[in-house]
Amino acid sequence: MNKFVNSIILFLLTCPLLAQSADSLPDSIPTAVPDIEYTYQRRTYEIADIQVTGADSYEDFVLIGFSGLAVGDKIEVPGDQITKAIQRFWKQGLFSDVKIVATKIEGNKIWLEIRLAQRPRISELIYRGLKKNEKEDIEPKVGIAKGNQMTPNISD
């Protein structure tokens, strides 16, 4: 059993080496965004469009639906709708970075971009010092499978 614990500890220590670097984020993210004045007076905008970047493993319409925002919705800026959408993504634990930014504002219309950075996926599990039957017994108990994303729950 001591070899098993050592194997798990070794695995968890090497996981951060598999994480995405900032260089792997999409190059299409614009750096200039509209200036929004955060004052006590809120402005109401109608969402004209929503784009998703940085989450290639998921369909955009799924992530937009998950955000709770939709084209045609009226939102206040600053307001709770954007904050709640970001919190929904954080609760899932699938993304290491979540941002929702306004890419364009014209009149009372606002264009939003949901910028996500996915957590890395497990590409390989290596058990050292275990026999094949011991490995087969342990795999279901560990609950980590090849292809799953590294969430905070797994790495803790």
Side-chain angles (χ1 to χ4, degrees):
M1 190 64 172
N2 197 12
K3 289 181 183 179
F4 169 70
V5 173
N6 289 339
S7 296
I8 294 297
I9 291 171
L10 178 63
F11 171 77
L12 294 177
L13 291 175
T14 59
C15 286
L17 299 175
L18 302 173
Q20 288 181 330
S21 67
D23 298 336
S24 65
L25 293 176
D27 293 332
S28 64
I29 297 175
T31 54
V33 295
D35 288 331
I36 297 174
E37 293 182 26
Y38 292 96
T39 62
Y40 288 111
Q41 189 170 6
R42 298 177 180 192
R43 286 206 52 199
T44 301
Y45 294 101
E46 179 182 343
I47 299 175
D49 188 37
I50 303 173
Q51 299 293 320
V52 179
T53 57
D56 299 333
S57 299
Y58 301 95
E59 295 290 335
D60 289 355
F61 72 91
V62 173
L63 295 171
I64 292 169
F66 183 72
S67 73
L69 302 171
V71 173
D73 284 355
K74 305 251 190 241
I75 63 169
E76 290 183 336
V77 177
D80 294 336
Q81 295 100 327
I82 300 292
T83 303
K84 288 178 181 176
I86 291 172
Q87 288 172 345
R88 284 185 195 101
F89 286 110
W90 279 120
K91 285 181 183 177
Q92 292 301 310
L94 300 174
F95 303 98
S96 60
D97 192 22
V98 179
K99 293 178 185 171
I100 299 178
V101 297
T103 56
K104 182 177 171 184
I105 295 175
E106 285 183 5
N108 68 336
K109 297 202 182 263
I110 190 167
W111 284 255
L112 298 177
E113 181 178 352
I114 301 172
R115 296 179 183 173
L116 303 168
Q118 287 183 235
R119 293 191 182 275
R121 293 196 175 271
I122 299 169
S123 61
E124 186 175 8
L125 291 172
I126 300 172
Y127 298 94
R128 299 187 196 280
L130 296 177
K131 296 177 184 170
K132 184 177 179 182
N133 62 345
E134 292 174 330
K135 177 182 157 187
E136 290 171 356
D137 290 341
I138 289 174
E139 282 181 342
K141 294 176 185 175
V142 173
I144 300 173
K146 183 177 176 180
N148 287 355
Q149 278 189 309
M150 287 295 301
T151 63
N153 297 336
I154 291 175
S155 62
D156 286 344

